[in-house]
Amino acid sequence: MSMSSSPAFLPVLERIADEIERTPGRGRPADYIPALAACDPRSFGMAVAEPDGTVHGVGDWRQPFSTQSITKVFTLALDLGREGDELWEHVGREPSGNPFNSLVQLEYENGIPRNPFINAGALVVTDRLQTRSGDAAGELLAFLRAESGNPGLDFDKGVAASESQHGDRNAALAHFMASYGNIDNDIPVLLDQYFRQCSVAASCADLALATTFLARHGIRADGSRLLTRSQAKQVNAVMLTCGTYDAAGDFAYRVGLPGKSGVGGGIIAVVPGRCAICVWSPGLDERGNSVAGVAALDRFTTLTGLSVF
C-alpha cells in the first residue's frame, strides 16, 4: 500500500483530525449494546482509499470497531449482483422519515420495507442473500476480507449475542414481513445471520478499501465485476437518500456524498471514480450518526471540493 500516488489526501486528513481534536461535544456512544457503550467518544479515525488500493489514514484508522448498519451496503451489493432488479419488488428505494425500526410504516406498506437500509429492509436483503448463498453472513465476511486484504476480519460474538438479547423488535419486523410472504427463511435462521452480519468488527482502513468497488463503478479489488455500472449507481443513490437514518437530507446537504452510517460510530462514503472514505468516532447524535464523523466528512468535501454535486 504505497502512500505516494496522491499526496493531496494525507494533509487534508491531518488537518481534519486536528480540527476534530479541538472540537468539544462529540455525542454519546450507543448504550443499548454494552460493547458499544464502553467506547471512548473521543476516539477518532479516518481513512481514504483510492481505486488502485492506495490507502491514507489518520488517528485510530487501524482500530477495529463495530460496523453495525454499515454492513447493509455490502449485503445489498452482494444480493443485487446475484438477483438484479427482482430485489426491488421486495424492498423499496425511498427514504423512510421514520425511525429505522418502525413497525407502523411496514404495516401501512403491506410488508414491503421502504428501503434496504432501515432494519426491515436490511432483513429482507439478508433473507434473499441467505436463500441464494446458504450463508449470508459468511458471504459478507468473505467479501470484506477479500476487498480489504485483511484475512483477520471476523464477527464479534459478544456483540452478536448482545444484539440477539435486544432483538425483539427485529424479530417482530421479520415475523410481520413473513406474514405478507416477504421472507423466505425460518425467522431464527434469518435473525442469527443478521445479528452476525451486524457484529463484524473492522477498521476505517478495512472499510474504506472494502467500499472502493463503488468508487470503481462495481469492480472488485481483483478486477472482477460485482455490479454493473448501473447497479453501482443504484447503490450509491440509495446510500445518498437513505444511508443516514432520518438525517439523509441533512447529510446530503452538509456532505454531498453517498454515505452509510452505523451506530458503532462508523460512516462510509463514496466519491464515484475518485475514492472511498471511512470515518469512525463512537459519539452519536440523537439520530444515531457519529457527530465527529459527519463533521469530518463535511470538512473533507469542503477542503477537497469532491462531492457528487
Side-chain angles (χ1 to χ4, degrees):
M1 294 179 184
S2 75
M3 296 282 178
S4 56
S5 67
S6 178
F9 282 128
L10 202 53
V12 169
L13 294 181
E14 285 166 348
R15 180 170 166 186
I16 291 168
D18 189 49
E19 289 179 15
I20 295 291
E21 183 59 38
R22 293 196 306 260
T23 309
R26 295 276 188 93
R28 295 181 40 227
D31 53 14
Y32 60 93
I33 300 166
L36 301 187
C39 286
D40 177 3
R42 301 290 302 173
S43 299
F44 175 80
M46 189 170 185
V48 176
E50 297 183 70
D52 66 358
T54 306
V55 63
H56 317 263
V58 286
D60 304 311
W61 68 299
R62 298 255 183 222
Q63 166 80 30
F65 61 89
S66 193
T67 55
Q68 296 293 319
S69 289
I70 291 174
T71 59
K72 295 171 181 176
V73 170
F74 305 112
T75 50
L76 173 61
L78 288 166
D79 186 72
L80 190 60
R82 274 190 160 85
E83 68 166 319
D85 282 350
E86 193 189 329
L87 169 64
W88 302 119
E89 293 166 25
H90 300 268
V91 60
R93 299 188 292 269
E94 293 296 329
S96 72
N98 279 323
F100 57 86
N101 54 1
S102 173
L103 265 164
V104 177
Q105 189 170 54
L106 202 51
E107 180 159 32
Y108 188 67
E109 295 178 343
N110 300 321
I112 305 290
R114 186 66 74 90
N115 68 66
F117 295 150
I118 54 175
N119 287 17
L123 283 161
V124 167
V125 172
T126 298
D127 177 64
R128 299 186 72 75
L129 183 59
Q130 176 67 15
T131 299
R132 281 155 187 77
S133 69
D135 180 9
E139 193 82 4
L140 165 75
L141 188 62
F143 176 82
L144 293 176
R145 285 175 172 174
E147 299 307 294
S148 67
N150 179 1
L153 285 190
D154 215 340
F155 305 114
D156 183 322
K157 292 183 179 63
V159 169
S162 221
E163 305 249 11
S164 185
Q165 282 158 8
H166 297 85
D168 290 338
R169 177 67 62 99
N170 284 316
L173 293 168
H175 282 291
F176 193 77
M177 291 186 292
S179 76
Y180 283 97
N182 201 19
I183 294 290
D184 295 335
N185 293 278
D186 290 342
I187 305 296
V189 172
L190 170 58
L191 292 173
D192 177 61
Q193 289 285 335
Y194 182 69
F195 296 140
R196 284 170 63 217
Q197 167 192 322
C198 292
S199 80
V200 171
S203 69
C204 292
D206 296 327
L207 289 170
L209 286 165
T211 307
T212 48
F213 78 98
L214 289 170
R216 290 188 294 261
H217 310 293
I219 305 278
R220 293 187 57 167
D222 65 2
S224 65
R225 186 170 276 288
L226 175 66
L227 298 175
T228 66
R229 201 177 173 94
S230 172
Q231 287 171 332
K233 185 188 77 174
Q234 290 169 4
V235 173
N236 282 330
V238 179
M239 284 170 72
L240 183 72
T241 55
C242 311
T244 43
Y245 309 116
D246 24 351
D250 190 56
F251 186 81
Y253 175 87
R254 285 185 64 187
V255 176
L257 294 175
K260 181 73 197 88
S261 60
V263 294
I267 308 175
I268 56 172
V270 181
V271 186
R274 291 295 303 272
C275 62
I277 308 146
C278 180
V279 59
W280 170 64
S281 185
L284 309 179
D285 61 24
E286 65 284 355
R287 283 156 154 181
N289 298 312
S290 170
V291 174
V294 175
L297 289 167
D298 182 351
R299 290 299 288 147
F300 180 84
T301 53
T302 301
L303 291 169
T304 60
L306 294 172
S307 116
V308 294
F309 302 111

